[in-house]
Amino acid sequence: MAEALRGDLNQLSLPNIIQLLKSGGQTGKLDITDGPNTGEIFLQQGNIVHAIAGVQIGEEAFYSLLSWLHGDFNFVSDIEAPDQTITTATELLLIEGKKRTDLWAEIKNVIPSMQAIFNLSQGTTGAI
């Protein structure tokens, strides 16, 4: 087991890291930390086969990790995945992840805080 790649997500984005590992046909585990939050992505010959983010597992965990803009990453080669929860091609995961990231950016323009509380207006009737 050898540490192959380490850095900061502020310097190198997770999609770029995945593309780098994929192009090199790497097998191993990518650990991601952002304070108390942790995640893991397992690759086998450059393909993502398993991901964990908190209590999420599989594709949804992977998509959740793609939204992290800050934190540290560390890739250790030659670690086998404990399970295979992802069978979708890595390229398709990255495309879907980009779509979700772009959509979330649009939502943030309208709803700037996750702590926002909405109230229904009682003054209107009829179709919207």
Side-chain angles (χ1 to χ4, degrees):
M1 268 183 281
E3 185 178 295
L5 184 63
R6 157 177 268 178
D8 186 329
L9 291 176
N10 288 318
Q11 302 297 315
L12 189 60
S13 71
L14 189 53
N16 287 337
I17 297 164
I18 298 295
Q19 289 174 339
L20 180 66
L21 295 170
K22 171 131 180 78
S23 69
Q26 296 295 313
T27 294
K29 179 174 80 161
L30 181 63
D31 288 308
I32 305 154
T33 58
D34 183 13
N37 302 316
T38 62
E40 299 174 337
I41 299 173
F42 290 85
L43 294 101
Q44 185 174 349
Q45 298 177 345
N47 296 304
I48 297 170
V49 295
H50 184 55
I52 303 167
V55 297
Q56 294 177 314
I57 297 174
E59 286 188 25
E60 289 307 316
F62 176 73
Y63 296 136
S64 178
L65 292 170
L66 282 182
S67 71
W68 293 16
L69 302 177
H70 308 285
D72 298 311
F73 65 88
N74 181 40
F75 180 76
V76 180
S77 62
D78 300 324
I79 295 179
E80 295 293 324
D83 197 2
Q84 182 170 356
T85 57
I86 298 176
T87 57
T88 302
T90 299
E91 296 86 359
L92 295 177
L93 290 170
L94 291 170
I95 291 169
E96 177 63 21
K98 174 77 171 127
K99 287 179 188 176
R100 289 179 182 216
T101 301
D102 291 347
L103 181 59
W104 187 244
E106 289 179 32
I107 291 169
K108 282 185 174 180
N109 285 333
V110 177
I111 305 171
S113 171
M114 290 299 291
Q115 282 69 43
I117 299 173
F118 296 93
N119 291 315
L120 295 176
S121 173
Q122 296 183 15
T124 61
T125 60
I128 296 177

